[in-house]
Amino acid sequence: MADVIMKHSKAVIALWLVVLVCALPFGIKSGDVLEYDMNSMSGSSTEASDGQAIIDEHFSNSIDLSEILVISYSSSEELAAAQAIFVEFQNLMDDKYGAKTTVSNYGTYSKGDPNVEGILMIAIANNEGESWDIAHETDNIRDLVKEAKSNASAAYPEAAGLTTYVTGNDAITYDTENSSMEDVSKVDPLSILLIFVLLGLFFYAVVTAVVPPAVVGMAYGIALAAVYAIGCLMGVYYITQTLILVSMLGAGCDYAIFIITRYRDERKKGLSHEDALKTAIMWGGEAVFTSGISVIIGFAALALCDFAMVRTMGIILAIGIAIALVAALTFIPSLLNLVKDKIFWPSNIESYKRVEDKVQNGGKLGVHGHLSKGSKRYFAWLSRNTHKHSKLIAIALVVLCIPGLYIFAESEDSADMISVMPDSESVDGLDLIMTQTDGGTIMPTYIVLEMNESIATVGSLPYGGMSIPYVIWNEHGLDPATMTGAVPAVMKMTKDIDDEYEIVGSISGLNSWQIMYMTVESALGTTDPSTINQVLYGQMPSAVKGYVGMILAIASGQHDLTHIDPTAFDAPWNSYVVSGYPLTVANIIDGILNVGTGILSDDGQYVSVMVITTDKPMSADTMDFLAELRSDLHDGDGSYDSVYSNIWSASYVAGTSASIDDMSKDIEDQFSMIRIVVAILLIVLLFFILGSYLTPIRSIITILLSVFLTVALTHVVFEGLMDTPVLFLIPIVLFVVLLGLGMDYEIFMTTKIRENKIKGMNNDEAIDNAIKEAGPVISLCALLMGGTFLTLVLANSSMLKELGFALGMGILIDGLLMVGYVSPALMHLMGDWSWKGPGFLTRRHGLNPDGSNMAVPAACGAAPADAERIGGEMPVRAVPATPEEVAKYKQECYSEVAVRQDRIAALNAEVKTLTDNKRIGRLDEEGEKELEAKRSELKAEKESLREFQRKSREDLRSGKGQ
């Protein structure tokens, strides 16, 4: 790979730029496919989604509360002004949108006297369905509200001062979208600035500070094209676009920095540009590739989830990291090959060496010198103390994790999406509604009943420019002789639910004017229509009271609603005959109560019972109620489904709260499997990469502890200090992201320790060197990625705040605490057990199956620099006899093996270059001779190494110390 990149650097960079240019037109449109309503991202068949599908298909007159105008008033004069605003607003909406919308009075609501103080709610229905996006008309609708207030204030001066909000599901979606765009515009520049500052301080260079985020920006532009493509197929939840940028900035910059830093360090050691770049690609590239694959595995596992929101998030994040990984492995080395040491401008390799010399030997230090000195002192102290106090660190970890695990286990995650919505007019309107009426008013829960057969004939008749619905019950709906059937059964069920649960503010199911009339007649002990009708009319819900009163007035031919006989046939529609029966006042009122409010389907086959909870939607109490309600409906012989099996064949609990409840439970159930899959895949990956039995398991355990501690800390901060519930998605996303991104630092550190082992160091020396050399860049990467995620706490959305805090703190805990202190301490305690593994894997890395270094050439007793490596006699060394001699013998061998392996790698590269030149006809006669000589030299070196290994093993086996 190194040879290909170094030979074709310009072509690699050109290819990336061409791909970027092709991707940008699609990436620019990625915002068009984002979804802001979590309900639309379910993608999985659940009870709630099945019930909602029935409502969407069979209930044409269900109440549409997607957009709601809420007007607050505090006197009867202000109520009159609010009514005037409604009239003006209705006219303006008709003028602008015509038949696309229907504006209707949804009624007045108040916790006290509605004539004195409360809210007027005006429903704005979208008559075009999904073919017209009313959400993006929200700003225009709000402008019309302002105009309506201005117009109404001419006759009602109070109108100008009334508080109005446009809210509802579509308005919330629109405000969430705008808030997300504001968050991106605020968070992205801050993330980039943070990266630029940290990189500038670390490298003391301008160009190096710019290159990693610039390359990630290029990769992000390409990733946006993938967002657009996937969004066209299945939709993408809006937070994904924010997460992919932050993840790519963090991970992509980590990968680029690791390779650039490795190149700089090799150049500081005196290697040529070519050798330093090859070493950076070979050793740094391996660590980066392993890290990237682990992150991709973590994100890709999210695609196993049935829910589209999580599935698309996982796919897109995995694609984004893959693009950033390939860019770091190809674009960055190609750029390094072209610009060489200029990438460190205005610094250079010589200036870095001078700073190190002054740090070691004394001299005047600048900013970079002080930072370098402080870094070296810290990581030297860290290397000493992780060995010296390894047992204490292990004990401290256990002590720290006990309360963290307790909080993790005992804390309950929330499904309350409202509490994490960004501040906006729609959320303020929602809060206002909850102060004056039941919390579930605009997000009701529905009990959808699938009847065994149709229970009524449903239709409508024209009158005075209106379409008036009617219902004629058949014997399955209501048998007048026995007063049995679906209507009384559903009425009985709704009454039982209302009586059983205090959280139920109101419940609207099937109703029959005839049954209600008879019930009131029996309760009052009178047959006087005047008294009965007065009570019935007073019981009508605000949303239909005006319509019922209008029908009663028309039927009686008078305006006194207290003297109306609901069975009278003197109404204008008594000439209508349906199925042999003339329509009555009761048929018309039943049509208003059941069809007009969306309780009975157009074919009479389905019933939708609307439950409005006193508590707000998705709160903990509401979710507990849903669980109990479902149990009452479905579980056991005494359930409603069982008792009324002759009435309905199936029941469903639907609505926004039910959808989120289903989603949270199903996602959690699926993640029980996904967590196991991710952990196993990462253990297998690290097993084959590292060739170790225990190190992969140890790495997973330390990251899992980071997850537990971070979740506990998130609960303490948000629930304990900020009184904000922690959303159920946070621990799930944190687990997958941290297991992937956090694994970067484990791999960076572990592969460096293994590299040191291969080059001849014992376990502790390898750990010490890795802390000193890889520790600074790992800490920088952790600060970069953790800081990038933490910028999300500045977002308006509490969801993004929680995600940013959890991911940022998780990365910092893992990168600075776990990898900095815990992992080295545990590896010191484990000793060579960290590297024990199957021989076919360990030998590939120059290690024995027991974790020790493989013996190196037989002449290891001699000074390597003075030994004749090719074709000569090797100096003879006495067989080691004591443990001290064995240890010294091994150490000398370790030093020699590093020299010989570097020599073989260099010869391989030379032979490869000469072979490529021969293939394309660029090798002359002298070159042919050189190629043959190099091949012979390489062969001899390898044979010498094999003999070296054999003789060393014999020496060690015959020695007393073996």
Side-chain angles (χ1 to χ4, degrees):
M1 179 178 174
D3 292 333
V4 173
I5 290 175
M6 295 178 70
K7 184 180 296 184
H8 304 291
S9 297
K10 293 180 180 179
V12 170
I13 292 176
L15 179 61
W16 272 103
L17 296 178
V18 168
V19 172
L20 176 62
V21 171
C22 295
L24 278 179
F26 301 99
I28 292 172
K29 297 190 293 183
S30 61
D32 298 341
V33 298
L34 299 181
E35 297 284 351
Y36 296 86
D37 182 6
M38 189 179 286
N39 287 326
S40 67
M41 296 292 295
S42 62
S44 178
S45 178
T46 63
E47 179 179 338
S49 65
D50 292 343
Q52 189 60 49
I54 292 173
I55 293 174
D56 294 340
E57 181 178 355
H58 297 282
F59 290 81
S60 61
N61 291 320
S62 58
I63 298 174
D64 185 355
L65 298 178
S66 296
E67 295 261 355
I68 301 172
L69 170 59
V70 185
I71 307 175
S72 176
Y73 63 89
S74 57
S75 67
S76 56
E77 291 79 13
E78 289 187 354
L79 174 58
Q83 298 285 4
I85 293 174
F86 160 61
V87 174
E88 292 289 342
F89 177 69
Q90 189 176 43
N91 293 333
L92 291 171
M93 288 289 292
D94 287 341
D95 291 342
K96 185 172 181 64
Y97 298 110
K100 286 185 176 181
T101 63
T102 298
V103 178
S104 56
N105 189 332
Y106 194 58
T108 56
Y109 296 86
S110 175
K111 290 291 179 70
D113 184 352
N115 293 314
V116 176
E117 181 182 10
I119 57 173
L120 173 65
M121 292 176 57
I122 299 164
I124 307 165
N126 176 11
N127 298 329
E128 301 293 315
E130 294 183 359
S131 62
W132 184 58
D133 185 9
I134 192 174
H136 284 88
E137 295 295 320
T138 301
D139 262 352
N140 293 329
I141 292 173
R142 285 169 176 162
D143 289 339
L144 293 181
V145 172
K146 294 176 183 177
E147 187 175 347
K149 289 172 65 176
S150 177
N151 293 346
S153 63
Y156 298 88
E158 298 89 349
L162 293 184
T163 300
T164 59
Y165 299 106
V166 174
T167 185
N169 289 335
D170 283 340
I172 290 172
T173 296
Y174 175 78
D175 287 342
T176 302
E177 178 180 353
N178 284 347
S179 176
S180 173
M181 293 178 180
E182 291 177 9
D183 288 342
V184 169
S185 64
K186 179 169 53 179
V187 168
D188 289 357
L190 185 60
S191 299
I192 295 171
L193 177 63
L194 175 66
I195 292 172
F196 182 80
V197 170
L198 288 176
L199 289 181
L201 292 174
F202 183 80
F203 289 103
Y204 210 63
V206 175
V207 176
T208 323
V210 172
V211 167
V215 172
V216 173
M218 175 191 68
Y220 177 64
I222 297 171
L224 286 181
V227 173
Y228 177 76
I230 294 172
C232 289
L233 297 175
M234 59 185 74
V236 177
Y237 196 48
Y238 78 98
I239 67 170
T240 303
Q241 190 173 36
T242 304
L243 285 177
I244 190 176
L245 174 61
V246 176
S247 298
M248 289 181 69
L249 272 175
C253 287
D254 282 2
Y255 303 151
I257 292 164
F258 202 77
I259 291 175
I260 293 172
T261 303
R262 186 58 188 264
Y263 170 79
R264 184 194 66 173
D265 291 346
E266 297 302 326
R267 291 284 288 126
K268 285 161 59 177
K269 292 176 183 177
L271 269 65
S272 66
H273 162 74
E274 289 77 11
D275 290 340
L277 185 55
K278 286 179 182 179
T279 303
I281 295 173
M282 183 173 67
W283 291 106
E286 181 191 24
V288 165
F289 178 78
T290 306
S291 300
I293 294 299
S294 69
V295 178
I296 292 170
I297 287 174
F299 284 148
L302 292 174
L304 299 175
C305 185
D306 288 342
F307 284 87
M309 181 196 73
V310 178
R311 184 168 63 250
T312 56
M313 183 187 298
I315 294 171
I316 289 172
L317 289 174
I319 291 174
I321 295 299
I323 295 172
L325 174 64
V326 175
L329 291 174
T330 58
F331 193 97
I332 291 294
S334 297
L335 187 64
L336 277 170
N337 191 42
L338 294 178
V339 303
K340 299 182 172 60
D341 296 345
K342 293 185 180 68
I343 199 168
F344 303 113
W345 185 88
S347 294
N348 54 53
I349 299 301
E350 293 304 318
S351 67
Y352 289 138
K353 290 180 178 179
R354 286 195 298 271
V355 169
E356 287 202 359
D357 182 66
K358 290 179 180 179
V359 169
Q360 293 176 0
N361 303 316
K364 186 176 181 180
L365 300 176
V367 174
H368 189 211
H370 284 292
L371 291 174
S372 179
K373 184 177 181 179
S375 173
K376 287 183 179 297
R377 283 184 174 179
Y378 171 73
F379 287 103
W381 172 87
L382 186 61
S383 68
R384 291 194 306 272
N385 285 278
T386 51
H387 291 178
K388 184 178 180 181
H389 303 295
S390 55
K391 293 181 180 179
L392 183 61
I393 291 173
I395 294 171
L397 177 66
V398 173
V399 173
L400 181 64
C401 286
I402 289 175
L405 289 171
Y406 175 79
I407 296 173
F408 177 86
E410 293 298 316
S411 299
E412 292 188 7
D413 302 321
S414 171
D416 188 356
M417 300 299 297
I418 295 177
S419 65
V420 297
M421 288 178 181
D423 294 334
S424 62
E425 177 178 331
S426 57
V427 172
D428 291 340
L430 195 62
D431 291 339
L432 175 60
I433 291 172
M434 292 179 184
T435 63
Q436 293 295 342
T437 186
D438 293 325
T441 298
I442 70 167
M443 292 184 184
T445 295
Y446 298 96
I447 304 172
V448 181
L449 305 174
E450 185 175 353
M451 298 297 164
N452 291 329
E453 52 189 306
S454 178
I455 62 175
T457 298
V458 178
S460 62
L461 56 91
Y463 179 79
M466 298 182 298
S467 179
I468 303 177
Y470 65 80
V471 168
I472 300 177
W473 305 111
N474 58 33
E475 61 181 0
H476 305 293
L478 177 61
D479 186 344
T482 60
M483 298 305 290
T484 59
V487 175
V490 174
M491 292 180 73
K492 173 69 166 56
M493 181 189 73
T494 56
K495 184 178 185 304
D496 290 345
I497 293 173
D498 193 19
D499 292 342
E500 181 179 356
Y501 296 102
E502 292 184 5
I503 196 174
V504 175
S506 63
I507 182 168
S508 303
L510 288 177
N511 276 302
S512 163
W513 185 268
Q514 183 177 357
I515 292 178
M516 290 188 293
Y517 191 94
M518 294 174 59
T519 302
V520 173
E521 182 182 50
S522 174
L524 296 178
T526 178
T527 58
D528 177 24
S530 173
T531 304
I532 296 171
N533 285 322
Q534 182 69 33
V535 173
L536 281 176
Y537 180 71
Q539 290 177 350
M540 291 296 100
S542 176
V544 299
K545 193 170 187 177
Y547 296 103
V548 172
M550 178 187 70
I551 295 301
L552 293 175
I554 293 172
S556 65
Q558 57 183 324
H559 298 290
D560 185 359
L561 303 179
T562 62
H563 294 84
I564 298 171
D565 182 354
T567 60
F569 288 92
D570 56 349
W573 49 81
N574 63 1
S575 60
Y576 285 87
V577 178
V578 180
S579 301
Y581 295 96
L583 294 182
T584 67
V585 173
N587 296 139
I588 302 298
I589 295 179
D590 284 353
I592 294 172
L593 294 178
N594 296 286
V595 179
T597 57
I599 293 174
L600 182 65
S601 66
D602 299 335
D603 57 4
Q605 186 71 43
Y606 300 92
V607 171
S608 175
V609 177
M610 184 169 67
V611 183
I612 296 177
T613 56
T614 55
D615 209 354
K616 66 180 182 179
M618 294 170 278
S619 68
D621 289 341
T622 298
M623 294 309 197
D624 290 342
F625 161 67
L626 291 180
E628 295 178 18
L629 178 61
R630 282 174 166 160
S631 178
D632 290 345
L633 283 169
H634 310 316
D635 298 344
D637 294 336
S639 66
Y640 291 118
D641 286 350
S642 178
V643 172
Y644 295 112
S645 59
N646 62 318
I647 304 293
W648 60 77
S649 58
S651 64
Y652 311 86
V653 177
T656 301
S657 296
S659 295
I660 299 299
D661 186 47
D662 282 347
M663 184 182 297
S664 64
K665 289 177 179 176
D666 281 9
I667 288 177
E668 181 58 41
D669 289 342
Q670 291 176 28
F671 262 83
S672 298
M673 177 268 294
I674 290 174
R675 289 185 181 100
I676 296 173
V677 169
V678 173
I680 291 175
L681 288 177
L682 289 178
I683 288 174
V684 170
L685 171 69
L686 295 181
F687 171 71
F688 282 102
I689 295 294
L690 301 176
S692 168
Y693 294 125
L694 298 180
T695 296
I697 298 173
R698 194 268 310 153
S699 298
I700 294 293
I701 290 174
T702 54
I703 293 179
L704 288 179
L705 292 176
S706 299
V707 173
F708 298 147
L709 290 173
T710 304
V711 172
L713 183 62
T714 303
H715 276 283
V716 169
V717 171
F718 282 89
E719 284 187 350
L721 302 179
M722 300 175 62
D723 196 27
T724 301
V726 175
L727 198 64
F728 71 95
L729 284 174
I730 304 302
I732 292 171
V733 174
L734 178 65
F735 176 88
V736 174
V737 173
L738 199 57
L739 207 57
L741 294 177
M743 186 62 73
D744 281 355
Y745 312 123
E746 282 285 345
I747 291 172
F748 289 165
M749 179 64 75
T750 305
T751 53
K752 182 61 179 177
I753 295 173
R754 187 198 62 186
E755 178 188 342
N756 292 337
K757 283 276 292 179
I758 292 171
K759 289 184 175 180
M761 300 181 189
N762 63 36
N763 193 61
D764 286 345
E765 290 172 337
I767 295 172
D768 286 347
N769 178 269
I771 292 174
K772 293 174 183 177
E773 291 197 1
V777 69
I778 290 174
S779 297
L780 171 68
C781 291
L783 289 172
L784 280 175
M785 191 181 297
T788 302
F789 277 119
L790 284 174
T791 58
L792 292 177
V793 301
L794 301 176
N796 293 322
S797 167
S798 292
M799 184 191 303
L800 286 178
K801 288 179 187 289
E802 291 181 358
L803 278 172
F805 179 83
L807 294 173
M809 293 305 300
I811 292 294
L812 293 177
I813 289 173
D814 185 67
L816 301 181
L817 178 63
M818 292 297 178
V819 176
Y821 290 83
V822 176
S823 294
L826 293 179
M827 293 186 77
H828 166 72
L829 294 174
M830 292 167 64
D832 283 340
W833 280 92
S834 295
W835 308 107
K836 290 182 184 294
F840 75 96
L841 288 176
T842 60
R843 291 190 185 99
R844 286 176 51 211
H845 304 303
L847 299 175
N848 290 313
D850 64 356
S852 63
N853 287 66
M854 293 177 63
V856 285
C860 61
D866 299 329
E868 178 65 36
R869 292 189 176 86
I870 306 297
E873 292 293 329
M874 295 293 182
V876 178
R877 168 185 166 83
V879 175
T882 67
E884 291 76 13
E885 288 180 350
V886 170
K888 183 178 179 181
Y889 182 93
K890 286 183 177 181
Q891 186 57 49
E892 292 171 345
C893 291
Y894 296 157
S895 300
E896 177 65 12
V897 74
V899 175
R900 289 185 173 273
Q901 287 177 334
D902 287 344
R903 173 65 179 164
I904 290 174
L907 284 171
N908 266 320
E910 292 180 57
V911 170
K912 177 68 168 57
T913 301
L914 290 169
T915 302
D916 290 341
N917 287 335
K918 179 179 179 181
R919 188 175 64 252
I920 61 178
R922 291 184 177 178
L923 212 61
D924 55 16
E925 185 176 348
E926 290 298 323
E928 292 276 3
K929 293 180 180 179
E930 183 182 2
L931 174 58
E932 291 304 316
K934 291 294 182 184
R935 283 174 173 171
S936 299
E937 186 178 356
L938 178 60
K939 181 179 179 182
E941 189 72 43
K942 289 181 177 179
E943 290 175 353
S944 176
L945 179 58
R946 283 193 291 270
E947 175 62 19
F948 187 77
Q949 294 169 333
R950 184 193 65 77
K951 184 64 169 62
S952 299
R953 284 192 291 269
E954 289 180 358
D955 289 346
L956 287 170
R957 278 196 296 269
S958 62
K960 295 180 181 179
Q962 179 64 19

